[in-house]
Amino acid sequence: MHLADGILNLPTLIGSAAGAAAGLAIGFRQLTPKTLPSAALFAAVFFIVGTLHVPIGIGSVHLILNGLIGLLLGWLAFPVIFVALVLQALLFSFGGFAVLGANLLLLAAPAVVAHYALRSTIVESLHSQRRLMLLGLCAATIGIGGASIIAMTMLWSTGQQELLNLVVLFGVAQLPVWLVDATISALVVAALGRTLPSVFQK
Amino acid sequence: MLLSLNNVVAYRSTRAVLNGLNLRVHEGERVVVRGGMGTGKTTLMLTALGLIEHRSGDIRLMDHYCLSETDFAEHRGQIGLLFQDPDDQLIGPTVLEDIEFGPLNLGWSAERAHRTADDALNRVGLDHLADRAVHELSGGEKRLIALAGLLAMSPKLLLLDEPTAYLDEPTAQQLIRILIKSSLSMLIATHDPLCIETLATRSVLLKDGRLSED
Amino acid sequence: MSHEHRADGRLRVASALLVSLAAAMIRSIDTLLILFLVALIAATVVTTKSKIPLAVLAKRLAVVNFFVLWVWLTIPINWGSFSLSETGIALAVQIALRVNVIALAVSSLLVGMSGIDFARALVALGLPQSLGTLLALSVRALVLLENTRARLEQAMRARGYRSTMSTRTIRVNAQLVACLIVHALVRSERIRLGFIARGYTDLRWPSRQHSHWYSLPVRNWILLISVAVIIVATVTLPIFFNQYDHAPLP
């Protein structure tokens, strides 16, 4: 789901960096000595989850789970995903630093939307495994769908005709990602609801 | 012969931890491996199951030569490895789901896996914890549940890495009783005198990457 | 390359940011090609001097270029007529060069930099302290959780699990993720208590760099200045040669 450096033009990079900075500013306010340790560990979880791959046909799909992370963290998803992306840029040279803002915006904004759209419903649904699974699926749909739409908008906004090919194919390529992410999110939300419901009640 | 390591060399990062190691475990034996900290007891267990790649030598599981991951994967199910830290081993959200993990990997039906898991939980005396979340268990309970997860797979051989570490005496004794009752062959890495006294039919010393009979 | 011979962390990170931003803006293929060659030589020299196997650098490049492969398979093709587009090819070349310049530059400028030093450098460059603390702590958390993940996967294999294209694999991956989340939460609570036990009340760690910008030895500035000069030179040289080419003959 990451966009690599070198694809987006300067206005798009600046615009998305501004959006990401705004999200970070809100997320900051929730970073306190109390929330810091769990935020750090979630950044590590998000990083590690991105390295897990599920075999699909001849290839494999990397997990993203930004919807699930958002569900659990809300606005803290911005600083947490920011840190995970910085570590990826440092350790793997993915995505570079110039496109960090864009990648942060496309992953974290839908995460926050998932939180506000679904959190209260999850708290009311802790007694029902089926409903929890459905909510996990919704979280993934908002997460992957939202990220895809934002990424496609960014690519389209560069105004380059040749990149429009990439926009469509990018969208299509996210379908297997959504499928796997949604299934795993559903199962994880159900499992957490069963064994650690307090994680949804904070 | 259940397990055979012949002239095995295994490294951890750049250090040769097993250096031409020879070991055989026959049916009915409970072999204790003693050795100080950092001598390679855990490496021995992981290498025996192909979880760490060995540089040279040969390994046989249930009399089958295991050269590649595919070979190991085919025969691993008959050997149970109890990790030193049960937190490294427990993956299921609840106790029963964790114990079912192994049987399901062996291709057993959900019904059979459930029945076997129930039975294994009974054998360790913790059936009242079936629906408990794994992270809510005490250290001792986690160790026993991890063991139940292995027993549920009906193994022929158990590899036990410091099985009584961090356990209080009553729990350690309970664990040892369960092990003796299972009548399984075992390879046990330990320096607990209680374990050695009550379990060992043979004892070997791991030093400088090799084993010598005590 | 010994620690004392490396430039100040802030300046290394600033140089990496400068290269990333410049490369993102440059459109000229000539310029990108020169930058790519310079970055490749620099990365090779730095990697060798740091006694890191070149295979590590090659592996990083392979990962980054997997994305470039996708770009080559999509952008140059006119999907309406299934023909090759010249502008598409030019764009694909541009993107390929840019991605590699940034990957090589980051590899050479930040070689051997620990996550904690990186966090310190970012804080010194203006990143809010809370984010710097989060970054530093996340580096440690990553090591902890990655070890946990590796051991869990080892234990899964020991219990007969094999990753295949099946619903079982999906269920098991879900169990693994749930397990990691639970580990993370349980551990984070223990870490928080450990912090409190050591008197932690505020987000002040890691501490900022103590040396002020103006007291840094000159050699630290050489790196940043060199990077800036290279970028300016590679941008202006092709323009200069083009002007020369178009200059009227005497």
Side-chain angles (χ1 to χ4, degrees):
Chain A
M1 182 67 73
H2 295 79
L3 292 174
D5 262 319
I7 299 259
L8 301 176
N9 58 12
L10 194 61
T12 310
L13 285 176
I14 291 173
S16 48
L24 267 176
I26 301 174
F28 276 159
R29 285 195 247 134
Q30 297 189 11
L31 261 185
T32 63
K34 196 175 171 195
T35 59
L36 185 70
S38 54
L41 278 143
F42 269 108
V45 167
F46 186 75
F47 183 105
I48 289 170
V49 152
T51 64
L52 295 175
H53 36 240
V54 176
I56 293 252
I58 52 163
S60 62
V61 155
H62 280 264
L63 295 181
I64 301 172
L65 298 180
N66 59 325
L68 176 65
I69 293 286
L71 199 59
L72 298 170
L73 297 176
W75 282 104
L76 263 178
F78 264 94
V80 161
I81 294 176
F82 169 75
V83 159
L85 289 175
V86 165
L87 289 175
Q88 280 174 356
L90 183 66
L91 297 172
F92 298 137
S93 300
F94 278 165
F97 297 107
V99 81
L100 200 66
N103 282 328
L104 177 58
L105 188 66
L106 69 91
L107 288 169
V112 175
V113 169
H115 178 87
Y116 285 102
L118 302 170
R119 185 63 171 240
S120 50
T121 317
I122 283 200
V123 171
E124 291 158 15
S125 308
L126 289 173
H127 59 281
S128 165
Q129 283 285 283
R130 194 168 274 181
R131 282 180 79 178
L132 284 173
M133 284 180 71
L134 189 61
L135 290 165
L137 197 142
C138 290
T141 305
I142 295 172
I144 303 288
S148 304
I149 290 170
I150 297 175
M152 281 160 38
T153 309
M154 287 175 181
L155 289 170
W156 172 80
S157 75
T158 60
Q160 287 180 282
Q161 183 60 40
E162 291 76 16
L163 282 183
L164 290 180
N165 293 342
L166 200 56
V167 169
V168 171
L169 279 155
F170 185 90
V172 168
Q174 302 317 309
L175 285 172
V177 177
W178 168 76
L179 208 64
V180 171
D181 231 66
T183 313
I184 292 192
S185 280
L187 293 169
V188 171
V189 169
L192 290 175
R194 208 166 55 242
T195 59
L196 198 64
S198 58
V199 78
F200 296 119
Q201 286 158 331
K202 284 179 190 157
Chain B
M1 190 158 42
L2 300 175
L3 173 69
S4 158
L5 276 75
N6 193 21
N7 225 4
V8 165
V9 172
Y11 278 65
R12 285 293 267 245
S13 126
T14 52
R15 194 170 65 99
V17 176
L18 306 181
N19 208 355
L21 185 135
N22 294 298
L23 171 70
R24 302 207 190 339
V25 179
H26 297 92
E27 207 161 327
E29 282 196 301
R30 293 197 293 255
V31 181
V32 158
V33 177
R34 296 186 311 109
M37 245 184 352
T39 47
K41 300 190 292 293
T42 301
T43 304
L44 168 59
M45 303 261 161
L46 295 173
T47 307
L49 277 191
L51 298 171
I52 291 177
E53 225 176 289
H54 60 287
R55 294 256 181 123
S56 61
D58 56 70
I59 299 176
R60 278 187 283 168
L61 302 183
M62 309 293 148
D63 272 325
H64 295 272
Y65 277 103
C66 291
L67 299 163
S68 65
E69 168 61 19
T70 316
D71 299 331
F72 279 108
E74 209 182 309
H75 300 287
R76 246 181 227 142
Q78 298 177 78
I79 302 180
L81 170 58
L82 190 71
F83 280 55
Q84 207 175 124
D85 183 353
D87 271 327
D88 291 342
Q89 187 158 19
L90 298 171
I91 178 145
T94 63
V95 163
L96 202 65
E97 281 173 283
D98 183 84
I99 299 173
E100 286 171 350
F101 180 78
L104 288 170
N105 290 336
L106 293 178
W108 298 0
S109 69
E111 212 185 281
R112 184 181 171 195
H114 186 87
R115 233 184 13 249
T116 322
D118 240 339
D119 182 54
L121 202 49
N122 225 306
R123 283 165 78 180
V124 302
L126 293 177
D127 16 358
H128 58 286
L129 294 179
D131 293 323
R132 186 77 62 87
V134 159
H135 67 270
E136 289 175 6
L137 301 173
S138 69
E141 286 168 340
K142 280 181 184 168
R143 185 67 59 82
L144 292 173
I145 297 301
L147 178 62
L150 303 180
L151 295 175
M153 294 171 75
S154 303
K156 294 202 172 82
L157 170 68
L158 287 178
L159 306 184
L160 307 162
D161 194 355
E162 304 285 358
T164 52
Y166 310 116
L167 295 184
D168 54 49
E169 210 178 304
T171 315
Q173 285 176 348
Q174 185 186 359
L175 181 90
I176 290 172
R177 271 197 304 272
I178 295 165
L179 289 173
I180 294 174
K181 202 171 168 193
S182 72
S183 306
L184 288 169
S185 312
M186 293 170 209
L187 179 69
I188 310 156
T190 185
H191 44 259
D192 175 12
L194 177 66
C195 245
I196 297 169
E197 224 177 272
T198 47
L199 285 173
T201 57
R202 181 158 65 96
S203 176
V204 291
L205 178 68
L206 178 57
K207 195 179 171 187
D208 298 327
R210 287 177 191 196
L211 290 171
S212 55
E213 297 280 339
D214 267 346
Chain C
M1 200 183 283
S2 62
H3 190 78
E4 54 270 17
H5 289 108
R6 295 210 176 107
D8 180 82
R10 290 168 285 185
L11 294 171
R12 288 166 71 192
V13 172
S15 305
L17 283 169
L18 182 62
V19 172
S20 288
L21 283 167
M25 285 161 55
I26 292 170
R27 297 266 165 252
S28 155
I29 289 180
D30 293 336
T31 308
L32 286 170
L33 192 55
I34 297 170
L35 271 177
F36 169 71
L37 291 168
V38 170
L40 183 62
I41 294 168
T44 311
V45 167
V46 167
T47 304
T48 317
K49 283 193 100 177
S50 304
K51 296 196 168 81
I52 296 169
L54 282 173
V56 172
L57 180 64
K59 197 177 169 193
R60 265 199 182 196
L61 287 178
V63 169
V64 158
N65 282 288
F66 180 74
F67 168 78
V68 173
L69 184 65
W70 257 107
V71 166
W72 276 103
L73 290 173
T74 53
I75 289 178
I77 301 169
N78 245 325
W79 288 94
S81 54
F82 282 101
S83 59
L84 285 175
S85 142
E86 254 186 61
T87 42
I89 291 173
L91 182 59
V93 170
Q94 224 184 66
I95 290 171
L97 286 172
R98 235 184 246 136
V99 166
N100 279 284
V101 163
I102 292 169
L104 288 163
V106 168
S107 288
S108 42
L109 289 165
L110 302 184
V111 70
M113 197 171 212
S114 73
I116 305 284
D117 289 336
F118 188 68
R120 258 200 201 103
L122 285 178
V123 169
L125 285 170
L127 193 76
Q129 179 71 56
S130 58
L131 273 186
T133 307
L134 178 60
L135 184 58
L137 206 51
S138 299
V139 169
R140 173 72 188 134
L142 184 57
V143 171
L144 277 176
L145 271 188
E146 178 53 31
N147 280 342
T148 303
R149 182 205 61 79
R151 286 198 297 263
L152 280 171
E153 284 190 356
Q154 222 171 34
M156 281 157 58
R157 278 166 60 210
R159 286 165 80 183
Y161 171 71
R162 284 199 246 194
S163 176
T164 54
M165 190 177 131
S166 63
T167 50
R168 173 121 183 92
T169 294
I170 295 199
R171 289 198 93 92
V172 170
N173 271 279
Q175 271 182 322
L176 181 61
V177 170
C179 197
L180 283 173
I181 290 175
V182 171
H183 267 272
L185 285 166
V186 169
R187 263 226 173 92
S188 71
E189 183 51 23
R190 287 207 295 262
I191 288 171
R192 193 182 69 80
L193 294 173
F195 274 13
I196 294 171
R198 289 208 281 168
Y200 180 79
T201 52
D202 200 358
L203 300 165
R204 282 184 199 284
W205 175 85
S207 57
R208 288 174 177 271
Q209 298 271 10
H210 293 300
S211 52
H212 291 284
W213 294 100
Y214 49 77
S215 67
L216 283 172
V218 170
R219 63 177 165 81
N220 281 281
W221 290 98
I222 290 174
L223 176 69
L224 184 62
I225 293 169
S226 308
V227 166
V229 163
I230 289 169
I231 291 169
V232 167
T234 48
V235 168
T236 54
L237 269 174
I239 301 171
F240 175 74
F241 279 116
N242 275 337
Q243 279 179 337
Y244 220 99
D245 278 346
H246 294 306
L249 291 168

